[in-house]
Amino acid sequence: MLQVTELEMRMSKRIVRYDEFRKTVPILVKKYFESPRIWLDTGCGTGGSIRDSIDIFRDTQFVLADPSSENIEIAKHTMAGEQRCLYVTNPTERLNFGPDTLDVVTSIFSHHYYSDDEGRVTATRNCHRMLKKGGLFIVSEHTLHPEDQDGSDAQWKAYMRDSGLPEPFVEDMITRRYNEYFPLTEAAYIQLLNDIGFSEVGVFWSTCSDIGLYAIK
């Protein structure tokens, strides 16, 4: 089984402490569910988040969803025929699992690509709808630090340079903001989750460029 895909290697170079983040997700799930029955990873990319957890949660059915059919095909390959995985080629807002169906939903660096608030709200509301009462939603995104955005960006760029990324790419990650990805502040993310109806919301991971939040239905 492949452990790291090309997409995941690229993410580790541009997302600060990405490897640490991936290790944190199954630990957080374990805190709330000893053995979740159904776990959906929406915007799954090439399947890295589930690959980290599949041997930890031996009785869990995993659903890997992504709008990219190419990503789904790579994810299938890296799972090497794992029978507990179901694959769906759809974005979050079009997933149609029944209400109160899922124990865990993860969205790892995928919802910040919604270019308007309505799209992000619709996608997040659909995750809430599909979760059981007491279910766990984990979301990570690029974020803003308006109290010192220039300082945060300087730290982020230094990390990318230290990871070996060329200067044009480093600068492009900044200029893509509000053009290709659309981050919020920590307070805005928390407010969004509260407004949708989650009963408990918290931050479990944060860096100069990214944030990880959990929410309980």
Side-chain angles (χ1 to χ4, degrees):
M1 180 181 295
L2 297 175
Q3 294 303 307
V4 181
T5 67
E6 182 180 349
L7 172 63
E8 291 152 24
M9 287 190 287
R10 294 200 304 266
M11 291 179 73
S12 71
K13 292 182 178 182
R14 67 176 187 257
I15 295 174
V16 180
R17 302 195 340 248
Y18 176 68
D19 293 339
E20 171 195 295
F21 169 79
R22 282 181 47 162
K23 293 176 183 176
T24 302
V25 170
I27 293 172
L28 181 60
V29 172
K30 199 79 168 178
K31 177 180 176 181
Y32 289 93
F33 289 95
E34 183 63 29
S35 182
R37 191 172 70 87
I38 306 177
W39 175 340
L40 163 68
D41 187 33
T42 182
C44 69
T46 52
S49 295
I50 297 307
R51 209 177 316 113
D52 290 340
S53 300
I54 201 157
D55 289 332
I56 298 172
F57 301 96
R58 298 299 306 174
D59 297 320
T60 299
Q61 173 76 51
F62 294 95
V63 182
L64 291 82
D66 198 276
S68 167
S69 58
E70 180 180 358
N71 281 346
I72 289 295
E73 288 306 311
I74 295 171
K76 287 179 181 179
H77 175 65
T78 64
M79 293 301 173
E82 172 59 58
Q83 295 300 303
R84 290 180 293 132
C85 291
L86 171 70
Y87 303 92
V88 179
T89 307
N90 258 332
T92 304
E93 72 274 14
R94 292 178 58 189
L95 296 173
N96 59 358
F97 296 96
D100 308 307
T101 300
L102 309 174
D103 297 295
V104 177
V105 175
T106 47
S107 170
I108 308 303
F109 297 105
S110 61
H111 284 180
H112 57 227
Y113 292 112
Y114 286 100
S115 61
D116 57 80
D117 290 341
E118 182 179 355
R120 194 191 317 251
V121 168
T122 299
T124 308
R125 195 180 301 281
N126 198 30
C127 292
H128 181 273
R129 178 191 67 80
M130 293 183 288
L131 278 167
K132 296 178 180 177
K133 183 175 176 58
L136 173 65
F137 180 51
I138 297 174
V139 58
S140 62
E141 305 290 0
H142 293 319
T143 192
L144 299 172
H145 296 275
E147 68 283 357
D148 185 15
Q149 192 63 55
D150 288 343
S152 297
D153 286 348
Q155 292 180 53
W156 188 16
K157 288 192 282 188
Y159 173 83
M160 289 189 283
R161 291 187 189 108
D162 289 345
S163 297
L165 293 173
E167 191 63 27
F169 184 95
V170 170
E171 294 298 334
D172 185 55
M173 282 301 298
I174 304 300
T175 58
R176 286 172 56 197
R177 184 182 291 149
Y178 304 127
N179 294 300
E180 295 183 35
Y181 66 91
F182 304 86
L184 301 176
T185 64
E186 175 182 313
Y189 278 124
I190 292 173
Q191 187 64 55
L192 168 65
L193 294 169
N194 282 326
D195 288 347
I196 283 174
F198 287 99
S199 63
E200 176 187 342
V201 178
V203 176
F204 70 92
W205 178 81
S206 65
T207 71
C208 59
S209 55
D210 305 292
I211 192 168
L213 302 103
Y214 73 92
I216 306 298
K217 181 172 178 180

